[in-house]
Amino acid sequence: MNLKLKINGRMLVFILGTTIFIFVVAMFYILSILRNTSKENSQNILKEKSSEISIQIEQNFNAYFNVAQLLAEGFVNFENIPETNRRAVLSKILEDFLKNNPEYTAIWAVCEPNSIDNRDADYVNQPGSSAKGNFRYTYYIENGEIKLSYNKQNLHWEEINAKLYYQVKNNLESMVSEPYFSNIPGKGDSILHISLAVPIINNHEFIGVVGLNT
């Protein structure tokens, strides 16, 4: 009798042990499938979101370039403005645009020497002009106000814009900068920006560049 009980006990232990082993193996297998399925789903979701973000970024870039292109076309028609008023009218277009579109951090335009008028000598080192006197307006938003940048401010994002100007001039096509961190006056901590620019072409001649900072 005791022998029979011992045998049954051993059989019970063997059966239970085998069952537990099979259960553990099965659980690991199921968990592995679930984990792989979850990973696959996560990857699919990530791909979908990445695609959505890429499309949104592309749409935003297209919108930015379309706006800049329209502004550049306004400069192309500078000859329709009396020469004595050209700088005032063109700079006012830039200022009003930024005022009505505060989602941009800055708007700027640089024209080649003696391109839109023959008055560079009258504007040497003046606000809205370069050291040579050519048209060089940069408006930016500071504490909710539109301000005109001066050459001596040496703002980091203006250095980016200057490089972009020469890239556009050399390639005669729209360009966009690499993303960069910079602080707009009155904005506090540095934030991520991009600068984009389009050429001003009049009768197949390069006149200058119009740019936007976002």
Side-chain angles (χ1 to χ4, degrees):
M1 182 70 174
N2 290 337
L3 180 61
K4 185 177 181 180
L5 287 174
K6 289 180 181 179
I7 293 174
N8 288 342
R10 289 175 183 174
M11 289 181 65
L12 181 62
V13 170
F14 174 77
I15 293 170
L16 285 175
T18 304
T19 302
I20 292 172
F21 174 77
I22 293 173
F23 176 77
V24 170
V25 172
M27 286 299 297
F28 271 107
Y29 178 73
I30 293 171
L31 287 174
S32 176
I33 293 175
L34 289 175
R35 185 162 51 248
N36 291 335
T37 301
S38 177
K39 182 179 180 180
E40 184 178 353
N41 289 339
S42 298
Q43 289 177 340
N44 290 334
I45 292 173
L46 181 60
K47 289 180 180 178
E48 290 177 4
K49 291 298 181 182
S50 298
S51 178
E52 291 176 7
I53 293 172
S54 297
I55 292 173
Q56 185 63 49
I57 291 174
E58 183 179 0
Q59 290 175 343
N60 287 341
F61 272 127
N62 289 336
Y64 296 152
F65 278 118
N66 288 338
V67 168
Q69 186 62 51
L70 287 173
L71 290 167
E73 289 175 4
F75 275 75
V76 169
N77 297 318
F78 69 89
E79 292 176 341
N80 296 325
I81 307 170
E83 187 174 24
T84 54
N85 295 330
R86 284 176 190 169
R87 299 193 184 217
V89 171
L90 294 174
S91 63
K92 184 63 174 174
I93 290 174
L94 299 176
E95 182 181 9
D96 287 346
F97 174 83
L98 190 58
K99 185 181 299 182
N100 295 322
N101 298 276
E103 65 270 22
Y104 298 98
T105 56
I107 183 171
W108 50 282
V110 180
C111 295
E112 289 286 278
N114 297 309
S115 57
I116 61 170
D117 58 29
N118 294 303
R119 306 183 63 198
D120 286 9
D122 298 331
Y123 290 92
V124 173
N125 287 323
Q126 295 298 310
S129 302
S130 71
K132 296 180 180 179
N134 54 300
F135 187 98
R136 182 190 179 280
Y137 273 83
T138 298
Y139 286 104
Y140 64 94
I141 299 177
E142 179 179 351
N143 296 323
E145 296 183 7
I146 306 296
K147 294 195 173 183
L148 175 64
S149 173
Y150 291 86
N151 296 340
K152 296 180 180 179
Q153 286 182 271
N154 293 321
L155 300 174
H156 172 63
W157 47 273
E158 287 200 304
E159 296 177 8
I160 303 294
N161 294 347
K163 293 178 181 178
L164 200 58
Y165 175 87
Y166 287 106
Q167 290 176 350
V168 173
K169 180 178 179 179
N170 292 332
N171 293 279
L172 295 180
E173 61 183 19
S174 300
M175 305 287 290
V176 61
S177 71
E178 293 289 336
Y180 59 92
F181 282 96
S182 183
N183 63 312
I184 298 296
K187 293 273 187 177
D189 296 336
S190 293
I191 57 177
L192 192 64
H193 297 277
I194 60 166
S195 296
L196 56 90
V198 299
I200 304 170
I201 306 293
N202 184 32
N203 294 325
H204 306 290
E205 180 182 357
F206 176 78
I207 300 298
V209 169
V210 171
L212 294 170
N213 289 33
T214 65

